[in-house]
Amino acid sequence: MARAKIAIIGAGSRSFGPATIRDIFLSKPLKDLGVTLTLMDTIGSHVRETAAYARAVNRRVKGNVVVEATTSLRQAVEGAGAVVSAIEVDRYLYWAMDFHVPRKYGFRQVYGENGGPGGDFHALRNMGPTLEIARTMEKLAPGAPLLNYTNPEPKLVEAVSRLTSVKAIGLCHGIGMGIGWVSTVLGRPVKSMEYAACGLNHFTWFQTLRDKKTGRDLYPDLVKADRGGDWLSHWQEIAMARILFRRFGLWPSPGTNHFGEYIRWADEFLSDEPQYYYDAADGHPWQGKVPVPEFIYSLEYTNCDRPMKPKKARTAEDWNPDDRGMKDKLEKSGELGATIIESLLCGVPHDLDSMNVPNRGAIPNLPDDMVVEVPGTSDRGGCRTRRMAPLPEGIAALLRTQASINKLLVEAYAEESKAKLVQAILLEPVVHTYRGAVEMVDEMLTLQKRILPPLK
């Protein structure tokens, strides 16, 4: 019996490469099926490291997976039953620009990964490579799904859905982070709750929050816990969530530095200045005068009690693939890529907390062609969304603006139109001056010319 082929594109990813590999090796249905795992990355040393890690895991679990490594996209994709994508080029270099250049013009975006002007340029940079993967799949793996981990999820999945015939499904663990904060506020385990959230990736809202045993609505408990809680508790992550909950009636997910990207007044609730901080008097990181500084995801998880003399930072070259997970118990990551592959290739049904797909009525009061994040199910027949209740109008209004921005960005890419990009930027909530918007676009197009699509 022929082996099923799974391709991981961007296998050198330190976040999703090893996690996806572990999940595939720890899947009994996939082990019984027999799998060829083809790892692809544009950087040969990275994919060789990842392949060495995959073979080490294979030996440890006594798996029968055949591991291949390549730098050829065509070779990786050809004949694949499923393709996983987790790509990024010079991530921190370009993120430094995404974060700081818009702020130079007074646009107070709080992060710059998925939303805000920085998120728009992040999307345009990744749109070309993601569409190249999808178009290669159209020719060499027709019918295979593209399981995408690359951000910004909604913008990239929308590009693939609008411009190719490939069925793309965006995957993210943000819902897990959000319910984790609900668990903290309520003081009860996640496993004791039944929940369902929907909306936009990195900006979802819990429509259902119930006791798993009794079915009792837990929202009254959440109201009480919020009102009685210390206002500074986990300020960096949930102070804004608590305000959104009070004003809009549902608890948002994942945390401030994610959904804050879509809201103009988010910087009131986030101490974001340390993110990528550098001394401008020394020059800018993207000019090569100073190194790209440490990226601070959130002060909630950052130890600032450090010695003055810093330790040498780990680089990609320091990564030893045999020491990641080899000493400890191998566990599943909680990501959904391997779970969906189990369904599609082995027929194992699964409930999915979230997936990013075109709406098609799943959230009734959002545009049908907008890519939304909703729960669903998967089996051999594919992935199906769960139909949700309409979102409260205030929440829907926030999300509809993002639907228009995403649509304009895809059109900007497809039409090579700078005018469409400027329109998208002018819709961003944090953008408050026309001149600043135009000048910022010009500067970013110059700085990122090597990696952005041509815009006329």
Side-chain angles (χ1 to χ4, degrees):
M1 186 175 179
R3 288 175 171 270
K5 181 176 178 178
I6 301 170
I8 301 180
I9 312 302
S13 164
R14 298 298 185 252
S15 299
F16 294 108
T20 304
I21 288 167
R22 285 195 300 275
D23 291 347
I24 289 171
F25 281 113
L26 292 173
S27 166
K28 187 177 185 304
L30 289 175
K31 182 178 180 180
D32 293 342
L33 176 67
V35 166
T36 295
L37 182 62
T38 303
L39 307 173
M40 181 268 166
D41 200 283
T42 58
I43 301 175
S45 60
H46 288 186
V47 74
R48 287 191 293 273
E49 288 173 350
T50 306
Y53 172 72
R55 293 181 180 117
V57 177
N58 198 23
R59 290 191 297 271
R60 179 164 173 184
V61 302
K62 296 180 173 59
N64 64 346
V65 174
V66 174
V67 178
E68 300 176 339
T70 181
T71 57
S72 165
L73 177 61
R74 291 179 60 87
Q75 182 180 336
V77 165
E78 186 170 14
V83 177
V84 179
S85 175
I87 61 172
E88 197 81 61
V89 176
D90 290 336
R91 176 179 182 178
Y92 295 116
L93 170 65
Y94 288 109
W95 273 19
M97 302 175 198
D98 293 344
F99 277 41
H100 287 298
V101 174
R103 296 185 192 191
K104 187 175 87 170
Y105 293 91
F107 304 148
R108 293 292 299 166
Q109 61 175 24
V110 300
Y111 203 29
E113 181 190 16
N114 274 24
D120 295 337
F121 282 93
H122 187 201
L124 285 176
R125 292 198 306 275
N126 284 333
M127 216 168 271
T130 300
L131 286 166
E132 182 185 3
I133 294 168
R135 286 167 178 153
T136 305
M137 291 173 63
E138 285 182 311
K139 298 174 183 176
L140 301 178
L146 175 59
L147 305 178
N148 179 66
Y149 285 114
T150 308
N151 279 319
E153 290 274 11
K155 297 172 172 63
L156 298 183
V157 172
E158 185 148 333
V160 173
S161 300
R162 287 182 182 274
L163 303 179
T164 78
S165 62
V166 171
K167 183 171 184 179
I169 303 168
L171 303 176
C172 181
H173 52 243
I175 299 293
M177 296 169 66
I179 198 62
W181 287 117
V182 171
S183 168
T184 297
V185 175
L186 287 177
R188 61 182 297 157
V190 170
K191 62 183 180 181
S192 73
M193 295 182 284
E194 179 184 87
Y195 56 90
C198 67
L200 183 72
N201 179 239
H202 289 189
F203 200 10
T204 51
W205 304 77
F206 287 96
Q207 287 193 339
T208 302
L209 192 60
R210 299 185 182 280
D211 184 286
K212 186 175 287 186
K213 287 185 178 179
T214 67
R216 182 174 64 85
D217 184 10
L218 295 178
Y219 259 117
D221 295 358
L222 193 59
V223 170
K224 185 177 179 181
D226 165 48
R227 289 292 182 177
D230 188 313
W231 186 238
L232 293 180
S233 178
H234 301 290
W235 170 275
Q236 188 84 351
E237 289 290 336
I238 64 171
M240 188 177 182
R242 292 168 69 178
I243 287 296
L244 288 169
F245 174 40
R246 293 180 184 191
R247 301 286 73 83
F248 291 91
L250 297 178
W251 188 274
S253 172
T256 302
N257 68 348
H258 280 37
F259 51 68
E261 292 191 291
Y262 304 111
I263 297 175
R264 181 167 183 169
W265 40 272
D267 65 315
E268 295 179 50
F269 296 92
L270 190 72
S271 301
D272 59 352
E273 291 302 334
Q275 290 179 329
Y276 264 128
Y277 183 80
Y278 65 92
D279 185 346
D282 294 336
H284 299 300
W286 48 88
Q287 294 174 336
K289 296 182 178 179
V290 294
V292 177
E294 177 186 1
F295 166 60
I296 304 298
Y297 174 81
S298 168
L299 288 181
E300 180 77 26
Y301 306 106
T302 302
N303 176 20
C304 296
D305 182 18
R306 306 179 181 190
M308 283 297 294
K309 186 176 181 180
K311 295 180 180 179
K312 180 180 179 291
R314 291 192 70 179
T315 65
E317 288 70 30
D318 298 323
W319 184 62
N320 178 356
D322 288 324
D323 72 7
R324 282 180 71 97
M326 292 295 98
K327 299 176 183 177
D328 301 321
K329 181 181 179 181
L330 291 174
E331 295 180 342
K332 292 187 176 182
S333 69
E335 303 290 351
L336 292 176
T339 299
I340 292 175
I341 293 171
E342 267 189 4
S343 292
L344 300 179
L345 300 186
C346 306
V348 181
H350 286 291
D351 291 322
L352 308 173
D353 282 347
S354 65
M355 53 183 177
N356 291 272
V357 293
N359 186 21
R360 306 288 188 262
I363 306 175
N365 56 339
L366 291 182
D368 258 8
D369 55 358
M370 172 187 180
V371 170
V372 296
E373 184 164 294
V374 289
T377 60
S378 60
D379 56 28
R380 195 182 296 277
C383 295
R384 285 169 293 281
T385 58
R386 173 176 165 185
R387 188 170 178 85
M388 308 299 288
L391 286 164
E393 181 56 28
I395 293 174
L398 290 170
L399 301 185
R400 288 190 199 108
T401 297
Q402 297 303 317
S404 297
I405 291 170
N406 295 351
K407 186 174 183 178
L408 285 167
L409 283 175
V410 174
E411 291 176 358
Y413 176 89
E415 300 168 19
E416 298 185 352
S417 171
K418 180 181 174 183
K420 290 286 180 74
L421 171 59
V422 172
Q423 287 180 32
I425 295 295
L426 289 171
L427 287 180
E428 287 289 355
V430 298
V431 171
H432 62 280
T433 70
Y434 169 72
R435 180 180 295 178
V438 173
E439 291 179 353
M440 184 212 66
V441 167
D442 287 340
E443 181 170 353
M444 289 290 278
L445 290 177
T446 299
L447 287 172
Q448 301 187 0
K449 182 177 180 179
R450 181 180 71 85
I451 197 171
L452 284 172
L455 298 178
K456 301 170 184 173

